[in-house]
Amino acid sequence: MMAFGLPRAAAVVTLVLGLAAASAMADDVEMVFLKSAVAKGAVCLDGSAPVYHFSPGSGTGANNWIVHMEGGGWCKTPEECVIRKGNFRGSSKFMKPLSFSGILGGNQQFNPDFYNWNRVKVRYCDGSSFTGDVEEVDSKTNLHFRGARVWDAIIEDLLNKGMSKAKSAILSGCSAGGLAAVLHCDKFKDLLPPSAFVKCVSDAGYFIDG
């Protein structure tokens, strides 16, 4: 029993130590506050500027892009959405720098396929999977339902950064961000060069609203 258990345990320890080492080497990724989007009405629930994190590509990945949309469920009532105004789920005022890992990681050993791509994480602050586009703002709650505008503004900024020349591109997301990947997939592809190889990845993005 021990003869089989020890190598397996050692492998687990090695994996954990390797992941910890990769995490320790990771630096905070550039945090882009898209203040120019505010004038277009592309804002978080509280009216603050949308945010994304960007790590530029290099070498063979210089013209390849992966855009990952953050998850975080929905707010289904004005009362729930008001609560989000007081945290990073509804306001960029509470967002903090972060490091990339997984498919966004910059370590070749742990992310050999995408480590040198242009890697983007779009922060989620609208509570509706980047779909809201309501012009009116309730004077009592000061809630802005502008998720679709946020998505459009950030994608436009990325296109201006070089994504308009992408050879390969992936739009991905988890949970509410995964649903957004499904909803925005066709538009994302249409905005890129016809020759670009484009895929969309929805991680846990299909769920039933019970």
Side-chain angles (χ1 to χ4, degrees):
M1 181 73 68
M2 290 181 63
F4 291 100
L6 283 176
R8 184 176 299 176
V12 172
V13 171
T14 300
L15 175 62
V16 170
L17 290 176
L19 292 174
S23 177
M25 289 187 292
D27 296 321
D28 288 339
V29 181
E30 178 187 2
M31 192 172 182
V32 180
F33 285 84
L34 200 56
K35 296 180 180 179
S36 60
V38 175
K40 303 175 184 177
V43 294
C44 297
L45 284 170
D46 70 333
S48 59
V51 168
Y52 67 89
H53 301 263
F54 176 58
S55 181
S58 62
T60 57
N63 291 316
N64 298 329
W65 292 73
I66 180 165
V67 179
H68 182 81
M69 293 172 289
E70 185 177 38
W74 304 326
C75 54
K76 302 176 184 178
T77 66
E79 291 76 19
E80 290 181 358
C81 293
V82 166
I83 293 174
R84 290 192 177 219
K85 286 172 55 182
N87 59 57
F88 69 94
R89 294 295 185 204
S91 173
S92 61
K93 297 176 183 177
F94 299 95
M95 294 179 184
K96 298 180 180 180
L98 51 75
S99 56
F100 281 173
S101 60
I103 60 172
L104 293 179
N107 186 299
Q108 184 176 9
Q109 180 181 356
F110 296 100
N111 187 26
D113 294 313
F114 310 118
Y115 76 96
N116 65 345
W117 284 33
N118 294 279
R119 290 162 287 122
V120 180
K121 182 170 184 175
V122 181
R123 301 302 299 270
Y124 179 48
C125 65
D126 70 281
S128 64
S129 292
F130 300 94
T131 61
D133 190 9
V134 180
E135 182 65 32
E136 183 180 357
V137 178
D138 190 324
S139 59
K140 295 181 180 179
T141 62
N142 195 38
L143 285 169
H144 300 70
F145 298 107
R146 307 279 181 76
R149 298 191 197 185
V150 167
W151 191 87
D152 287 343
I154 289 178
I155 295 299
E156 179 182 2
D157 201 56
L158 295 176
L159 289 169
N160 291 334
K161 274 187 163 70
M163 195 168 72
S164 61
K165 300 177 182 178
K167 292 183 178 179
S168 296
I170 295 174
L171 181 68
S172 70
C174 179
S175 187
L179 176 59
V182 174
L183 298 175
H184 291 286
C185 183
D186 290 339
K187 185 173 183 179
F188 181 70
K189 179 175 175 57
D190 289 343
L191 291 170
L192 298 176
S195 59
F197 182 77
V198 180
K199 293 293 181 180
C200 298
V201 180
S202 176
D203 180 3
Y206 179 78
F207 44 96
I208 299 174
D209 183 17

